[in-house]
Amino acid sequence: MRVSTGRATQSDSRMFTVVVEAFGVGKQRQAERRFTVPLALLQGLMQTIARQGGRISAVLSGDASSPETSPPAPAAPQTTPPTKPAAVSHADVPVNLYKPKAPFLSTVVENYSLVAEGAIGRVNHITFDLKGGDPQLHYVEGQSIGIIPDGTDANGKPNKLRLYSIASTRHGDNLAGHTVSLCVRQLQYEKDGETINGVCSTFLCDIEPGAKVKITGPVGKEMLLPEDEEANVIMLATGTGIAPMRTYLRRMFEPAEREKNGWTFRGKAWLFMGSPTTANLLYDADFEHYQAQFPDNFRYTKAISREQQNAKGGRMYIQDRVSENAEEIFAWIENPKTHVYMCGLRGMEPGIDEAMGVAAAAKGLDWSELRPQLKKADRWHVETY
């Protein structure tokens, strides 16, 4: 379906509601979704929907949303910030409210696949209810929780906890403030000709809504967002390393989040996402949507290793995208308001270090000296595994 937008000008304030089917991942694809955007962003939104395989069933002039079927219209970045709460210092961040010897017993709310047909492996989005705790289990973006899977190990002892990066904002996916979500890939590897499944990741990917799960934490202060609403944020993620990046981007650009948290992001954000196939891209439709709605504030760059080639004709990895954009990345880093976040497989670090080293050398700088300086200034954040 094609709609002519005519000549859009910056002063054109007309709004359009696009009604979409089969757009997003998991349960999102089963529901009708509506997006209300100004004329200037209409064409970009429609292109994003087409690229992601969505079906546009209607384009309505004006805000044709209804409370039953659509979220509130997205708010444009504001030029003057609303009154905001006091900045949260690291000392105020909740840590270890629940420990392994006395975990919080949570109930699974939902568990659905995040990957499309033809993807490699299993990756699920799992949400847990946190109501009823004393103290209330709460957290902030960039933290992790521990999961203690049911059962015992080979020695008959209770299974040990595994840490997972949180994939929801402090308000939870439902914005009610009492859930936490994880993005979990099932670990599988071969040993002596046998496929071995990871204990905790399999436990989580297989778990059913209504089941009880032992949770510890939260933990972690390495990946916290700056409180500065005008900060610039570069995000480098592979696989389920996207979890903390999703929390940042929802906090920055999800309309209901922006309204609820009193923190109005006005800086620039740039996400580099590495994935083996398009089918393995996680939360891709949401990120494409943010890019369409906030083109001046958000960029989304993908490295799909089995489908794209780098400049040398080899597979396209995230470090190749960093190399391609190294000069601009460095220009961002030269701004003291810029923070860099890296999360994913530990193997991504050497390639990114090499790419940054080449870019630094071109400016007469030594990356081995510069990176520790960024770390000391609390501007270089890494969580790899």
Side-chain angles (χ1 to χ4, degrees):
M1 183 176 189
R2 183 175 180 179
V3 175
S4 173
T5 59
R7 293 184 61 187
T9 65
Q10 291 183 346
S11 61
D12 195 323
S13 60
R14 287 179 294 164
M15 302 295 290
F16 291 83
T17 295
V18 182
V19 184
V20 189
E21 298 174 352
F23 183 60
V25 296
K27 294 182 178 180
Q28 291 178 332
R29 296 191 70 84
Q30 302 171 17
E32 176 185 277
R33 302 179 71 184
R34 296 189 175 205
F35 302 102
T36 301
V37 296
L39 177 62
L41 298 181
L42 179 59
Q43 197 66 42
L45 174 61
M46 294 177 66
Q47 290 172 351
T48 295
I49 293 169
R51 284 198 302 270
Q52 297 301 312
R55 296 192 301 273
I56 298 174
S57 57
V59 178
L60 310 174
S61 178
D63 184 354
S65 305
S66 67
E68 294 79 17
T69 60
S70 67
Q78 300 176 17
T79 55
T80 55
T83 301
K84 66 175 183 176
V88 178
S89 72
H90 281 206
D92 296 327
V93 173
V95 175
N96 289 324
L97 299 176
Y98 287 89
K99 299 181 178 180
K101 290 185 178 180
F104 175 72
L105 191 61
S106 174
T107 302
V108 177
V109 175
E110 63 178 351
N111 182 2
Y112 60 85
S113 175
L114 281 172
V115 296
E117 185 177 352
I120 301 168
R122 298 171 67 194
V123 185
N124 284 25
H125 185 86
I126 309 157
T127 300
F128 307 89
D129 191 344
L130 302 180
K131 291 196 301 290
D134 185 15
Q136 170 73 41
L137 202 165
H138 61 286
Y139 57 91
V140 297
E141 297 78 14
Q143 289 195 287
S144 301
I145 57 171
I147 301 291
I148 303 175
D150 292 347
T152 57
D153 61 20
N155 298 317
K157 296 182 179 181
N159 284 317
K160 295 180 180 179
L161 71 84
R162 272 71 164 182
L163 286 176
Y164 291 92
S165 298
I166 294 171
S168 52
T169 70
R170 68 190 69 183
H171 300 120
D173 287 347
N174 64 1
L175 301 179
H178 56 70
T179 64
V180 64
S181 298
L182 300 179
C183 167
V184 179
R185 177 183 177 86
Q186 182 187 27
L187 172 65
Q188 287 188 317
Y189 60 93
E190 298 293 325
K191 183 177 181 181
D192 300 327
E194 181 183 359
T195 299
I196 306 298
N197 294 325
V199 173
C200 194
S201 62
T202 302
F203 167 75
L204 288 173
C205 285
D206 288 344
I207 204 162
E208 297 288 339
K212 300 293 185 180
V213 177
K214 302 183 185 94
I215 295 179
T216 67
V219 297
K221 297 183 179 182
E222 169 65 23
M223 298 289 284
L224 304 182
L225 270 180
E227 286 295 318
D228 185 357
E229 295 174 339
E230 296 182 351
N232 300 316
V233 179
I234 297 173
M235 295 158 279
L236 309 167
T238 58
T240 55
I242 197 63
M245 315 311 179
R246 178 184 188 253
T247 74
Y248 307 155
L249 292 170
R250 283 180 67 82
R251 184 164 169 78
M252 292 172 183
F253 301 121
E254 194 65 34
E257 273 285 341
R258 289 164 63 91
E259 181 179 353
K260 189 176 183 70
N261 61 37
W263 186 80
T264 306
F265 182 73
R266 300 187 304 281
K268 294 183 183 297
W270 193 351
L271 171 62
F272 290 83
M273 176 61 185
S275 174
T277 70
T278 298
N280 283 93
L281 287 169
L282 308 177
Y283 309 109
D284 183 56
D286 290 334
F287 302 153
E288 289 279 6
H289 179 56
Y290 298 152
Q291 183 170 239
Q293 292 201 325
F294 298 94
D296 295 331
N297 299 85
F298 179 49
R299 291 171 63 177
Y300 180 27
T301 302
K302 309 171 195 179
I304 306 175
S305 62
R306 302 195 183 192
E307 299 174 12
Q308 298 173 335
Q309 289 188 333
N310 59 28
K312 297 180 180 179
R315 287 186 173 183
M316 177 66 76
Y317 293 107
I318 192 169
Q319 58 264 34
D320 299 309
R321 291 299 189 198
V322 171
S323 293
E324 291 176 354
N325 296 277
E327 184 174 347
E328 189 170 3
I329 291 172
F330 244 86
W332 280 41
I333 289 176
E334 288 174 329
N335 183 335
K337 286 182 173 287
T338 298
H339 292 249
V340 181
Y341 294 83
M342 184 189 312
C343 190
L345 295 174
R346 188 168 287 115
M348 70 190 288
E349 289 188 68
I352 289 175
D353 263 342
E354 181 180 353
M356 296 301 291
V358 171
K363 289 179 169 286
L365 301 173
D366 186 338
W367 177 243
S368 65
E369 295 178 359
L370 180 58
R371 186 180 64 172
Q373 293 172 11
L374 293 171
K375 176 72 175 175
K376 186 176 180 180
D378 200 26
R379 295 175 51 208
W380 185 264
H381 311 264
V382 178
E383 189 172 85
T384 55
Y385 41 84

PDB file of all heavy atoms in Angstrom, residues 103-121:
ATOM      1  N   PRO A 103      16.495 -16.183  48.376  1.00  0.00           N
ATOM      2  CA  PRO A 103      16.077 -15.542  47.120  1.00  0.00           C
ATOM      3  C   PRO A 103      14.615 -15.122  47.156  1.00  0.00           C
ATOM      4  O   PRO A 103      13.850 -15.568  48.026  1.00  0.00           O
ATOM      5  CB  PRO A 103      16.303 -16.646  46.079  1.00  0.00           C
ATOM      6  CG  PRO A 103      16.108 -17.918  46.847  1.00  0.00           C
ATOM      7  CD  PRO A 103      16.647 -17.645  48.223  1.00  0.00           C
ATOM      8  N   PHE A 104      14.252 -14.279  46.204  1.00  0.00           N
ATOM      9  CA  PHE A 104      12.850 -13.902  46.035  1.00  0.00           C
ATOM     10  C   PHE A 104      12.173 -14.935  45.140  1.00  0.00           C
ATOM     11  O   PHE A 104      12.715 -15.306  44.095  1.00  0.00           O
ATOM     12  CB  PHE A 104      12.745 -12.515  45.396  1.00  0.00           C
ATOM     13  CG  PHE A 104      11.332 -12.113  45.070  1.00  0.00           C
ATOM     14  CD1 PHE A 104      10.443 -11.786  46.082  1.00  0.00           C
ATOM     15  CD2 PHE A 104      10.878 -12.080  43.759  1.00  0.00           C
ATOM     16  CE1 PHE A 104       9.130 -11.418  45.794  1.00  0.00           C
ATOM     17  CE2 PHE A 104       9.578 -11.718  43.459  1.00  0.00           C
ATOM     18  CZ  PHE A 104       8.702 -11.382  44.492  1.00  0.00           C
ATOM     19  N   LEU A 105      11.021 -15.421  45.544  1.00  0.00           N
ATOM     20  CA  LEU A 105      10.287 -16.406  44.759  1.00  0.00           C
ATOM     21  C   LEU A 105       9.297 -15.673  43.860  1.00  0.00           C
ATOM     22  O   LEU A 105       8.284 -15.137  44.332  1.00  0.00           O
ATOM     23  CB  LEU A 105       9.568 -17.394  45.671  1.00  0.00           C
ATOM     24  CG  LEU A 105       8.983 -18.633  44.979  1.00  0.00           C
ATOM     25  CD1 LEU A 105      10.089 -19.456  44.315  1.00  0.00           C
ATOM     26  CD2 LEU A 105       8.204 -19.486  45.971  1.00  0.00           C
ATOM     27  N   SER A 106       9.599 -15.656  42.576  1.00  0.00           N
ATOM     28  CA  SER A 106       8.800 -14.913  41.604  1.00  0.00           C
ATOM     29  C   SER A 106       7.946 -15.850  40.765  1.00  0.00           C
ATOM     30  O   SER A 106       8.207 -17.061  40.696  1.00  0.00           O
ATOM     31  CB  SER A 106       9.736 -14.102  40.697  1.00  0.00           C
ATOM     32  OG  SER A 106       9.015 -13.484  39.657  1.00  0.00           O
ATOM     33  N   THR A 107       6.945 -15.275  40.111  1.00  0.00           N
ATOM     34  CA  THR A 107       6.076 -16.029  39.206  1.00  0.00           C
ATOM     35  C   THR A 107       6.326 -15.577  37.770  1.00  0.00           C
ATOM     36  O   THR A 107       6.403 -14.375  37.492  1.00  0.00           O
ATOM     37  CB  THR A 107       4.589 -15.797  39.553  1.00  0.00           C
ATOM     38  OG1 THR A 107       4.355 -16.181  40.909  1.00  0.00           O
ATOM     39  CG2 THR A 107       3.686 -16.605  38.633  1.00  0.00           C
ATOM     40  N   VAL A 108       6.443 -16.537  36.857  1.00  0.00           N
ATOM     41  CA  VAL A 108       6.633 -16.209  35.444  1.00  0.00           C
ATOM     42  C   VAL A 108       5.332 -15.651  34.869  1.00  0.00           C
ATOM     43  O   VAL A 108       4.272 -16.262  35.001  1.00  0.00           O
ATOM     44  CB  VAL A 108       7.066 -17.458  34.641  1.00  0.00           C
ATOM     45  CG1 VAL A 108       7.203 -17.128  33.162  1.00  0.00           C
ATOM     46  CG2 VAL A 108       8.377 -18.016  35.188  1.00  0.00           C
ATOM     47  N   VAL A 109       5.435 -14.469  34.227  1.00  0.00           N
ATOM     48  CA  VAL A 109       4.265 -13.828  33.636  1.00  0.00           C
ATOM     49  C   VAL A 109       4.094 -14.252  32.184  1.00  0.00           C
ATOM     50  O   VAL A 109       2.997 -14.589  31.736  1.00  0.00           O
ATOM     51  CB  VAL A 109       4.394 -12.290  33.718  1.00  0.00           C
ATOM     52  CG1 VAL A 109       3.232 -11.605  32.994  1.00  0.00           C
ATOM     53  CG2 VAL A 109       4.469 -11.842  35.164  1.00  0.00           C
ATOM     54  N   GLU A 110       5.189 -14.223  31.420  1.00  0.00           N
ATOM     55  CA  GLU A 110       5.128 -14.639  30.015  1.00  0.00           C
ATOM     56  C   GLU A 110       6.496 -15.104  29.557  1.00  0.00           C
ATOM     57  O   GLU A 110       7.525 -14.764  30.145  1.00  0.00           O
ATOM     58  CB  GLU A 110       4.624 -13.503  29.114  1.00  0.00           C
ATOM     59  CG  GLU A 110       5.508 -12.281  29.076  1.00  0.00           C
ATOM     60  CD  GLU A 110       4.967 -11.204  28.129  1.00  0.00           C
ATOM     61  OE1 GLU A 110       4.002 -11.492  27.397  1.00  0.00           O
ATOM     62  OE2 GLU A 110       5.527 -10.092  28.124  1.00  0.00           O
ATOM     63  N   ASN A 111       6.506 -15.893  28.488  1.00  0.00           N
ATOM     64  CA  ASN A 111       7.742 -16.435  27.917  1.00  0.00           C
ATOM     65  C   ASN A 111       7.479 -16.686  26.433  1.00  0.00           C
ATOM     66  O   ASN A 111       6.680 -17.542  26.076  1.00  0.00           O
ATOM     67  CB  ASN A 111       8.118 -17.747  28.627  1.00  0.00           C
ATOM     68  CG  ASN A 111       9.429 -18.331  28.112  1.00  0.00           C
ATOM     69  OD1 ASN A 111      10.088 -17.756  27.246  1.00  0.00           O
ATOM     70  ND2 ASN A 111       9.816 -19.481  28.640  1.00  0.00           N
ATOM     71  N   TYR A 112       8.142 -15.898  25.574  1.00  0.00           N
ATOM     72  CA  TYR A 112       7.921 -16.072  24.138  1.00  0.00           C
ATOM     73  C   TYR A 112       9.221 -15.905  23.365  1.00  0.00           C
ATOM     74  O   TYR A 112      10.178 -15.286  23.844  1.00  0.00           O
ATOM     75  CB  TYR A 112       6.853 -15.103  23.613  1.00  0.00           C
ATOM     76  CG  TYR A 112       7.157 -13.637  23.778  1.00  0.00           C
ATOM     77  CD1 TYR A 112       7.920 -12.938  22.838  1.00  0.00           C
ATOM     78  CD2 TYR A 112       6.658 -12.929  24.870  1.00  0.00           C
ATOM     79  CE1 TYR A 112       8.182 -11.581  22.982  1.00  0.00           C
ATOM     80  CE2 TYR A 112       6.917 -11.570  25.023  1.00  0.00           C
ATOM     81  CZ  TYR A 112       7.674 -10.912  24.075  1.00  0.00           C
ATOM     82  OH  TYR A 112       7.936  -9.570  24.229  1.00  0.00           O
ATOM     83  N   SER A 113       9.246 -16.481  22.173  1.00  0.00           N
ATOM     84  CA  SER A 113      10.437 -16.443  21.333  1.00  0.00           C
ATOM     85  C   SER A 113      10.648 -15.048  20.756  1.00  0.00           C
ATOM     86  O   SER A 113       9.701 -14.374  20.360  1.00  0.00           O
ATOM     87  CB  SER A 113      10.309 -17.451  20.190  1.00  0.00           C
ATOM     88  OG  SER A 113      11.408 -17.333  19.302  1.00  0.00           O
ATOM     89  N   LEU A 114      11.930 -14.639  20.692  1.00  0.00           N
ATOM     90  CA  LEU A 114      12.291 -13.347  20.118  1.00  0.00           C
ATOM     91  C   LEU A 114      12.787 -13.452  18.680  1.00  0.00           C
ATOM     92  O   LEU A 114      12.982 -12.436  18.027  1.00  0.00           O
ATOM     93  CB  LEU A 114      13.394 -12.691  20.960  1.00  0.00           C
ATOM     94  CG  LEU A 114      12.959 -12.010  22.249  1.00  0.00           C
ATOM     95  CD1 LEU A 114      14.184 -11.581  23.044  1.00  0.00           C
ATOM     96  CD2 LEU A 114      12.082 -10.805  21.957  1.00  0.00           C
ATOM     97  N   VAL A 115      13.039 -14.662  18.212  1.00  0.00           N
ATOM     98  CA  VAL A 115      13.644 -14.807  16.890  1.00  0.00           C
ATOM     99  C   VAL A 115      12.602 -15.231  15.860  1.00  0.00           C
ATOM    100  O   VAL A 115      11.583 -15.828  16.190  1.00  0.00           O
ATOM    101  CB  VAL A 115      14.809 -15.817  16.918  1.00  0.00           C
ATOM    102  CG1 VAL A 115      15.933 -15.305  17.804  1.00  0.00           C
ATOM    103  CG2 VAL A 115      14.344 -17.195  17.390  1.00  0.00           C
ATOM    104  N   ALA A 116      12.899 -14.902  14.605  1.00  0.00           N
ATOM    105  CA  ALA A 116      11.987 -15.227  13.505  1.00  0.00           C
ATOM    106  C   ALA A 116      12.295 -16.616  12.951  1.00  0.00           C
ATOM    107  O   ALA A 116      13.302 -17.247  13.297  1.00  0.00           O
ATOM    108  CB  ALA A 116      12.113 -14.169  12.409  1.00  0.00           C
ATOM    109  N   GLU A 117      11.426 -17.074  12.072  1.00  0.00           N
ATOM    110  CA  GLU A 117      11.610 -18.387  11.448  1.00  0.00           C
ATOM    111  C   GLU A 117      12.938 -18.421  10.694  1.00  0.00           C
ATOM    112  O   GLU A 117      13.308 -17.469  10.010  1.00  0.00           O
ATOM    113  CB  GLU A 117      10.462 -18.664  10.486  1.00  0.00           C
ATOM    114  CG  GLU A 117      10.493 -20.055   9.870  1.00  0.00           C
ATOM    115  CD  GLU A 117       9.293 -20.319   8.983  1.00  0.00           C
ATOM    116  OE1 GLU A 117       8.366 -19.476   8.966  1.00  0.00           O
ATOM    117  OE2 GLU A 117       9.293 -21.360   8.291  1.00  0.00           O
ATOM    118  N   GLY A 118      13.672 -19.504  10.842  1.00  0.00           N
ATOM    119  CA  GLY A 118      14.957 -19.656  10.185  1.00  0.00           C
ATOM    120  C   GLY A 118      16.134 -19.186  11.006  1.00  0.00           C
ATOM    121  O   GLY A 118      17.290 -19.248  10.566  1.00  0.00           O
ATOM    122  N   ALA A 119      15.876 -18.708  12.232  1.00  0.00           N
ATOM    123  CA  ALA A 119      16.950 -18.219  13.095  1.00  0.00           C
ATOM    124  C   ALA A 119      17.811 -19.363  13.607  1.00  0.00           C
ATOM    125  O   ALA A 119      17.406 -20.529  13.621  1.00  0.00           O
ATOM    126  CB  ALA A 119      16.363 -17.447  14.269  1.00  0.00           C
ATOM    127  N   ILE A 120      19.006 -19.027  14.030  1.00  0.00           N
ATOM    128  CA  ILE A 120      19.933 -19.994  14.621  1.00  0.00           C
ATOM    129  C   ILE A 120      19.718 -20.012  16.122  1.00  0.00           C
ATOM    130  O   ILE A 120      19.874 -18.990  16.799  1.00  0.00           O
ATOM    131  CB  ILE A 120      21.384 -19.619  14.298  1.00  0.00           C
ATOM    132  CG1 ILE A 120      21.601 -19.587  12.787  1.00  0.00           C
ATOM    133  CG2 ILE A 120      22.357 -20.577  14.958  1.00  0.00           C
ATOM    134  CD1 ILE A 120      22.902 -18.955  12.375  1.00  0.00           C
ATOM    135  N   GLY A 121      19.347 -21.154  16.688  1.00  0.00           N
ATOM    136  CA  GLY A 121      19.177 -21.276  18.126  1.00  0.00           C
ATOM    137  C   GLY A 121      17.869 -20.704  18.645  1.00  0.00           C
ATOM    138  O   GLY A 121      16.990 -20.287  17.884  1.00  0.00           O
TER     139      GLY A 121
END
